[in-house]
Amino acid sequence: MTQVENVQSAVERYAAEFETFAGNGAAGAPAWLRDRRERAMARFMEAGFPSGRQEEWRFTDVKPIAQQPFTLAPATETHGVTLEVLRRFLLGGEDRQAAVFVNGHYVPALSTADLPDGVTLGSLRSALQRDPDLLDRHLARYAADERNPFTALSTAFTYDGAFVHVPRNVTLEKPLQVVFVAVPDEGKQYLWHPRNLVIVDDGARAAVVESYVGLGDTTYWTNAVTEVVVGSNAKVDTYRVQREGLGAYHTATTHSHQGRDSSYSLVTFTFGGRLSRHDIYAVLDGEGADCTLDGLSMLSDRQHTDHHTILEHVKPNCTSWEYFNGAFDDQSRGVFNGRIIVRQGAQKTDSKQTNNNLLLSERARADSQPQLEIYADDVRCTHGATLGPIDEDHLYYIQSRGLTREEARGLLTYGFASEILSAVSVEELKGEMERIVRDWLAASARKRTR
């Protein structure tokens, strides 16, 4: 069977699995959700899996995902996951506010949330039963099925995920955590479609930490979609940490939509996975809104990551900043495609985009494509990218202060990473990310000194 036939067979397999899914546990969903699922599946059937012939996917080959016989993970118990196992992934200790999912399914016994009145942190599935009208107004209204086949597949299989709702004018002092734990089952190749919805109403303030962690290196696939709704004059800081196993495939979409005078930030960290692709779409749809997107990728071995971002300025007097750094060792590869769109009428837009890539091996590779698309005439937009190894002059200067070459290399790489780490305002999370970076640098040094 040819590769094309394999991919087509995979599309047909997911269509058959959708029929089973729609007739079983998903059958009790509201009519509006069933309709959105069916339309999304039709789009996926029409589009199929992306190919390298498409401009948006020419640097990332997803055939390995299409050719694996992934199947939906069943709803089971905790797979042996305990709070002790999760301790290193949770912030706040006993005083945490967290929703925990194991293999895509919400686990109340591992979750805890002592929240202010009116604030919700929990299961999307439960929210669908409790407040379907609120979800009807937002769920699958922002992340576009026609733009990304993986988003369409997620919409088709929408079943559970995290639901966060912060009511009007509420300020949360502690971050809300959403943790997705992958527990591989030997001999099984599981797939889950976490569907997350974050709604922060007018005037509210909140921070949300979204984590994807793996407890093994066997093969599985996470296909996640997160929609973030930021009300007028609201402030939302989100953090996304992907540290899954080296056998994992990870595809994701994050779509934010902002109201007037709102503030939204996303800091995303990519450390794990064999192949990961994250599409980020931020829409500034209210005058005076500001948005910041930051990202750090640190990969080794044959890992591959791809970030595609779109910052869309719809209304005037909005600002956006985007900084993505990637450090790539061994035969790893990073892809970045960043696009700023300024719509007609979005005057006084101020937008800046920067992508920096550090190649720590002669076999590592990075591809960067910054883009501007401007339909207004009174704007200030800049973009740029850098790519290359550590500067030898910088290494020489650090070594002249008494450090070895390896120590100098680690110090400069840590400084490169700290440009993004400094954007984390949740101190406990920042400390954990710094620890991961230091461990990564130590492992990289050990490889070179063997």
Side-chain angles (χ1 to χ4, degrees), residues 271-403:
F271 301 116
R274 177 186 303 178
L275 184 155
S276 62
R277 162 76 178 230
H278 188 192
D279 284 27
I280 303 169
Y281 203 129
V283 179
L284 290 79
D285 197 21
E287 186 170 357
D290 70 77
C291 176
T292 303
L293 304 179
D294 293 309
L296 175 65
S297 301
M298 301 190 78
L299 303 184
S300 58
D301 299 313
R302 294 177 178 269
Q303 291 179 279
H304 179 111
T305 190
D306 183 345
H307 286 89
H308 269 58
T309 71
I310 297 178
L311 271 164
E312 183 177 4
H313 288 256
V314 179
K315 297 294 171 60
N317 298 301
C318 293
T319 56
S320 65
W321 300 268
E322 184 174 7
Y323 303 95
F324 273 71
N325 284 4
F328 305 103
D329 205 352
D330 302 325
Q331 298 182 60
S332 62
R333 182 177 183 182
V335 178
F336 175 82
N337 182 295
R339 186 173 160 205
I340 299 170
I341 304 174
V342 182
R343 296 298 181 191
Q344 187 175 6
Q347 306 293 357
K348 304 296 183 181
T349 287
D350 187 354
S351 185
K352 180 179 181 180
Q353 176 195 100
T354 302
N355 173 230
N356 299 310
N357 299 282
L358 194 58
L359 302 183
L360 301 175
S361 162
E362 293 181 355
R363 295 176 295 174
R365 179 175 174 181
D367 299 279
S368 184
Q369 294 180 299
Q371 302 173 357
L372 295 176
E373 188 176 326
I374 301 174
Y375 301 98
D377 56 12
D378 186 8
V379 304
R380 181 169 61 182
C381 297
T382 63
H383 64 78
T386 64
L387 166 67
I390 296 177
D391 191 294
E392 286 294 330
D393 289 341
H394 294 169
L395 280 172
Y396 177 80
Y397 177 81
I398 299 295
Q399 287 179 265
S400 72
R401 267 44 186 179
L403 275 70

Side-chain angles (χ1 to χ4, degrees), residues 95-127:
D95 198 27
R96 65 191 176 276
Q97 297 175 154
V100 177
F101 298 76
V102 175
N103 287 3
H105 297 278
Y106 181 62
V107 183
L110 298 176
S111 306
T112 180
D114 183 13
L115 299 168
D117 290 343
V119 177
T120 302
L121 169 64
S123 163
L124 181 76
R125 183 185 176 196
S126 297

Side-chain angles (χ1 to χ4, degrees), residues 1 18 34 42-43 79 91 103 116 126 134 162 182-183 197-198 208 222 293 308 321 334 344 389 403 408 412 419:
M1 185 179 290
F18 175 75
R34 294 199 302 270
R43 291 191 187 105
H79 288 276
L91 308 176
N103 287 3
S126 297
L134 176 62
V183 184
L197 178 61
V198 178
V208 180
T222 298
L293 304 179
H308 269 58
W321 300 268
Q344 187 175 6
L403 275 70
L412 289 169
E419 294 177 356

Side-chain angles (χ1 to χ4, degrees), residues 239-242 267-271 296 420-421 424 429 433:
Y239 304 92
R240 191 180 197 279
V241 182
Q242 192 270 98
V267 186
T268 180
F269 295 96
T270 304
F271 301 116
L296 175 65
I420 306 302
L421 293 171
V424 180
L429 176 64
M433 296 302 99

Side-chain angles (χ1 to χ4, degrees), residues 8 11-12 14-16 18-19 22 33-49 145-157:
Q8 183 57 38
V11 172
E12 294 170 356
Y14 286 116
F18 175 75
E19 291 299 320
L33 180 55
R34 294 199 302 270
D35 180 60
R36 284 174 211 176
R37 285 171 173 158
E38 290 168 0
R39 281 184 288 141
M41 193 66 210
R43 291 191 187 105
F44 176 75
M45 289 290 293
E46 180 181 359
F49 284 92
D145 297 335
E146 64 273 8
R147 188 175 295 115
N148 185 326
F150 293 116
T151 303
L153 195 62
S154 165
T155 303
F157 284 94

